[in-house]
Amino acid sequence: MFSSAHLPDSHVDLLATARAKQYGTILADPPWQFQNRTGKVAPEHKRLNRYGTMTLDEICALPVCDIAADPSHLYLWVPNALLPEGLQVMNAWGFRYISNIVWHKVRKDGGSDGRGVGFYFRNVTELLLFGVRGKNARTLSPGRSQVNMIQTRKREHSRKPDEQYEVIEACSWGPRLEMFSRGARKGWDVWGNQADESYRPTWDTYSYNSAIAAE
């Protein structure tokens, strides 16, 4: 995902990636830091050490406002438990919340995948918040008939469904930037410390993963 060890460098690097470009669409999957880090589900927990995380202030401070066009769209992944923080980040980046897309994680047979985590309910969904900046920021015409749900099998920890790209590319204009990306994608600029390499998980993962899904 991303390391916040050199946060000032991340500001410079993000602006350098943009090269003064103003993006019509930004997709971001920040490495959120959970407040309850005693449980084994937190990505930065010492028993897992899956990837580095960033504090809420660090995420909010990223200079997204400087690279977002007017008008533009933001798609922001946020865990269910951090919905208020997601809305705070969206506001800090200069976008106003409009709606969301729900990712329903399903098993091979189509039923809900109950391996999700949660201290109160077993989570089988994640939210992709949708926000806009500026006037005349409606989605493109395919968005008027696009339902706000994606139903797919989950893969590695924190890996988001590839189906998101088809939805975003149909509903939102370019140029497009993916922040905290895992590998390159045609037609997108990418930013993050895994953006220029083929994604390979460095931890134990489910038997159904990206390599299997690509076969």
Side-chain angles (χ1 to χ4, degrees):
M1 289 290 290
F2 189 79
S3 172
S4 59
H6 303 288
L7 185 61
D9 292 344
S10 69
H11 289 236
V12 174
D13 189 56
L14 179 57
L15 295 175
T17 295
R19 300 185 301 277
K21 187 182 297 184
Q22 298 288 290
Y23 291 99
T25 298
I26 297 174
L27 167 64
D29 182 19
W32 300 99
Q33 190 173 97
F34 286 78
Q35 292 181 352
N36 185 347
R37 285 177 281 173
T38 59
K40 66 179 181 179
V41 299
E44 70 274 21
H45 190 270
K46 63 183 180 180
R47 289 176 56 191
L48 298 178
N49 194 28
R50 285 172 171 148
Y51 51 76
T53 58
M54 296 175 69
T55 67
L56 177 60
D57 287 343
E58 289 170 342
I59 297 172
C60 285
L62 290 170
V64 177
C65 286
D66 296 333
I67 62 175
D70 184 355
S72 56
H73 290 167
L74 172 66
Y75 294 83
L76 178 65
W77 283 104
V78 59
N80 292 335
L82 299 180
L83 176 56
E85 288 84 349
L87 294 172
Q88 184 175 337
V89 167
M90 182 169 283
N91 182 68
W93 287 357
F95 290 81
R96 65 183 186 277
Y97 172 76
I98 296 295
S99 186
N100 63 70
I101 297 173
V102 178
W103 175 27
H104 178 207
K105 305 171 187 180
V106 297
R107 303 186 304 259
K108 186 177 181 178
D109 63 7
S112 296
D113 191 331
R115 292 175 295 176
V117 298
F119 292 103
Y120 297 91
F121 299 102
R122 183 67 62 175
N123 284 307
V124 296
T125 62
E126 282 190 54
L127 293 176
L128 180 58
L129 305 185
F130 173 73
V132 302
R133 180 182 186 184
K135 298 179 180 180
N136 302 316
R138 286 194 68 183
T139 52
L140 300 175
S141 56
R144 321 292 165 75
S145 58
Q146 174 66 51
V147 299
N148 72 325
M149 178 174 285
I150 298 173
Q151 293 178 288
T152 66
R153 296 175 68 184
K154 63 183 181 181
R155 296 172 291 172
E156 301 88 307
H157 177 83
S158 85
R159 178 83 176 194
K160 301 306 185 290
D162 287 343
E163 289 79 1
Q164 66 178 328
Y165 298 109
E166 295 180 7
V167 172
I168 295 172
E169 289 168 2
C171 298
S172 301
W173 54 86
R176 302 183 183 96
L177 170 70
E178 181 177 6
M179 298 171 57
F180 311 103
S181 68
R182 287 172 170 167
R185 179 172 177 82
K186 184 178 180 180
W188 291 70
D189 289 345
V190 293
W191 178 77
N193 64 1
Q194 290 186 346
D196 296 323
E197 60 187 65
S198 297
Y199 174 69
R200 295 181 180 85
T202 56
W203 54 79
D204 291 337
T205 187
Y206 301 123
S207 56
Y208 182 81
N209 52 48
S210 296
I212 299 299
E215 293 180 351

